[in-house]
Amino acid sequence: MVANYDHVLPWSKGGETTLGNMVITCPPCNYGRGEWTLAEAHLNDPRLRPISSTDWMGLDGAFQ
């Protein structure tokens, strides 16, 4: 799959194209939510999730 950017507050409902209102999503999540707000779609705000880290260094298979 490819990554899409998505407006947390939809552009059609006044959401701006700013870093504070953008997240990376998969296409099914992005297009499936459409013009619904997170509350209308019964979704949690992904910006509130804790950041998790791993030892994964990318697709080259190298680990620290």
Side-chain angles (χ1 to χ4, degrees):
M1 293 191 119
V2 297
N4 287 170
Y5 69 89
D6 189 18
H7 294 83
V8 177
L9 176 62
W11 186 81
S12 63
K13 294 190 178 183
E16 297 182 355
T17 304
T18 61
L19 288 178
N21 190 44
M22 305 299 292
V23 293
I24 301 298
T25 64
C26 66
C29 290
N30 187 9
Y31 298 117
R33 186 169 68 100
E35 296 183 7
W36 290 351
T37 64
L38 294 175
E40 291 169 338
H42 302 285
L43 295 171
N44 296 324
D45 189 335
R47 300 170 298 176
L48 301 178
R49 292 181 66 177
I51 296 172
S52 62
S53 64
T54 67
D55 291 336
W56 188 62
M57 296 297 293
L59 297 175
D60 65 2
F63 290 88
Q64 290 183 345

